[in-house]
Amino acid sequence: MGAQQTQDVRDGFAALYGTEPEGVWSAPGRVNLIGEHTDYNDGFVMPFALPHTATAAVSRRDDGRLRLHSADVDGGVVELVLDDLTPESDRNWTAYPAGVVWALREAGHPVTGADVHLTSTVPSGAGLSSSAALEVVVALALNDLYDLGLQRWQLARLCQRAENVYVGAPTGIMDQTASACCEAGHALFLDTRDLSQKQIPLDLAALGLRLLVVDTQVKHAHSDGEYGKRRAGCEKGAALLGVDALRDIPYAGLDEALARLGDEEEVRRLVRHVVTEDERVERVVSLLESGDPRAIGPVLTEGHASLRDDFRISCPELDLVVDTALATGALGARMTGGGFGGSAIVLAEATDVDTLTKAVQEAFAAAGHTAPRVFEAVPAAGARRLN
């Protein structure tokens, strides 16, 4: 984020609250390269941070009040009383930052209030973790201002609790960890069971490659019921198979596990996706570490087929992006994010980007869909203090 943008957020805070903020922080959205719906199954994921960020100017208060304002939402400052914060009581954007304050206080951290002015360039509802960016930027600011001493992974855990319990969305740990912990020029190989991390170099441009994000403009919401149904189905599968989580089913033992599930067809599909997706993450890590990024293309495409056919969370617009991109020479493509809309990613030779973009735009127009938003995804830095 540029110095002028940082100053704009500071100025916005001062105009609202009549004083300068104590600091400005940012936290990015993310693209998940591979590893979808594995995080709440204790599995593997591989996100990287986007240059698109939520930015917050913040100051402390000592009167038990939280004042929130977003430059991106119509309306004035929302004032909340900390002692009155109650899970699932707020269905507005304010639930995300308020949930973080609630989670910090529930964990015993002495947060006595804050004034917050937010703005975000992370597309909302596009499967790029706009909500996690809001959570993490507020958590990092309060961690710094109140000198809480929490590590990045601990902030991610608290933000996940805010989203699970306060917002009421049963998401895993990936989005918040990506926003808090990613490094520029790298993808984050994360084991969501023990939260061990490995930064994997991902400089596609140096090798003549590009990774495009195609935002279908079809909005989704994690707190809607379908996401929860998939998670409950995965938990049922783990229980039927006698394991703590589907992570514990080895890829080599998948056929045996599916046979044990008998006529539980829906559960069988969910189990098959999670176990094969974990294996795909490990394959992508191996290919990138061996210096062969072009070879990850078919693995990405396999992941889309699994999300479409087994997990059943794709939609016509996402399938159209993938099918059109592959027919126009892409190395690989898949939907990314929670599903039921949002974005797809496309791995392509740099020389093919214009042709691919045009083909996808024309396919959407021919199908009568809203024009998609297409942009290049470049691995960016995680959350940080700007000044």
Side-chain angles (χ1 to χ4, degrees):
M1 187 173 188
Q4 184 57 52
Q5 291 169 298
T6 303
Q7 189 60 48
D8 289 346
V9 176
R10 291 188 67 92
D11 291 345
F13 183 99
L16 284 166
Y17 300 120
T19 183
E20 289 291 314
E22 292 185 80
V24 178
W25 291 259
S26 75
R30 65 96 188 97
V31 160
N32 193 22
L33 185 64
I34 192 74
E36 220 65 78
H37 288 270
T38 49
D39 57 349
Y40 54 79
N41 290 292
D42 282 2
F44 304 124
V45 294
M46 200 175 183
F48 63 86
L50 289 168
H52 307 71
T53 59
T55 305
V58 185
S59 288
R60 288 167 290 184
R61 297 179 65 92
D62 60 8
D63 61 357
R65 294 184 178 273
L66 174 65
R67 294 197 293 182
L68 301 169
H69 183 268
S70 170
D72 311 311
V73 179
D74 290 338
V77 173
V78 176
E79 185 166 327
L80 303 169
V81 177
L82 299 191
D83 287 344
D84 293 343
L85 297 180
T86 306
E88 297 195 55
S89 61
D90 186 350
R91 294 301 176 193
N92 300 307
W93 71 268
T94 49
Y96 297 100
V100 169
V101 175
W102 171 85
L104 285 166
R105 285 165 55 86
E106 281 286 298
H109 299 294
V111 176
T112 56
D115 287 337
V116 181
H117 173 55
L118 287 154
T119 186
S120 180
T121 58
V122 186
S124 176
L128 304 176
S129 297
S130 58
S131 59
L134 281 183
E135 293 158 0
V136 170
V137 73
V138 172
L140 182 62
L142 296 176
N143 186 52
D144 288 352
L145 290 174
Y146 282 98
D147 197 23
L148 303 180
L150 296 168
Q151 300 297 309
R152 294 300 183 95
W153 67 269
Q154 293 173 304
L155 292 177
R157 275 281 192 224
L158 283 164
C159 289
Q160 182 199 14
R161 177 166 169 76
E163 189 148 349
N164 289 173
V165 181
Y166 194 88
V167 178
T171 54
I173 189 66
M174 174 181 66
D175 296 350
Q176 293 84 1
T177 305
S179 187
C181 300
C182 278
E183 295 181 3
H186 293 76
L188 178 69
F189 177 37
L190 173 67
D191 182 333
T192 66
R193 170 163 283 171
D194 62 13
L195 297 188
S196 60
Q197 303 176 14
K198 186 175 185 181
Q199 301 286 345
I200 307 294
L202 187 67
D203 186 359
L204 298 175
L207 298 166
L209 297 172
R210 298 290 187 273
L211 190 73
L212 301 179
V213 175
V214 182
D215 177 2
T216 65
Q217 308 283 354
V218 178
K219 301 301 183 185
H220 74 166
H222 277 166
S223 51
D224 288 351
E226 291 299 320
Y227 187 101
K229 288 179 184 176
R230 301 306 189 280
R231 181 164 185 165
C234 290
E235 291 168 352
K236 180 180 179 180
L240 290 171
L241 293 168
V243 293
D244 290 336
L246 294 183
R247 150 74 173 276
D248 297 312
I249 303 299
Y251 180 70
L254 176 59
D255 289 344
E256 177 191 354
L258 295 177
R260 287 167 55 199
L261 291 171
D263 60 0
E264 292 277 359
E265 181 53 36
E266 182 178 359
V267 175
R268 283 164 54 89
R269 288 190 287 99
L270 299 178
V271 170
R272 182 164 54 226
H273 166 73
V274 172
V275 176
T276 58
E277 186 80 346
D278 274 335
E279 189 271 341
R280 282 186 284 272
V281 177
E282 293 184 294
R283 256 194 291 161
V284 167
V285 170
S286 178
L287 290 167
L288 289 177
E289 289 187 326
S290 66
D292 193 10
R294 284 175 173 80
I296 74 172
V299 189
L300 302 184
T301 305
E302 284 178 36
H304 183 76
S306 183
L307 290 162
R308 180 192 65 209
D309 300 336
D310 276 344
F311 230 67
R312 299 188 181 180
I313 57 170
S314 189
C315 67
E317 293 86 351
L318 288 168
D319 292 341
L320 183 60
V321 174
V322 171
D323 294 344
T324 303
L326 294 174
T328 316
L331 298 170
R334 75 173 190 90
M335 60 154 286
T336 187
F340 310 106
S343 299
I345 56 174
V346 178
L347 181 67
E349 302 288 350
T351 51
D352 292 338
V353 165
D354 291 344
T355 302
L356 283 164
T357 301
K358 183 180 178 183
V360 170
Q361 290 170 337
E362 290 178 347
F364 267 57
H369 299 319
T370 300
R373 177 178 179 227
V374 184
F375 60 93
E376 183 183 350
V378 179
R384 61 201 187 279
R385 185 169 187 164
L386 298 176
N387 68 14

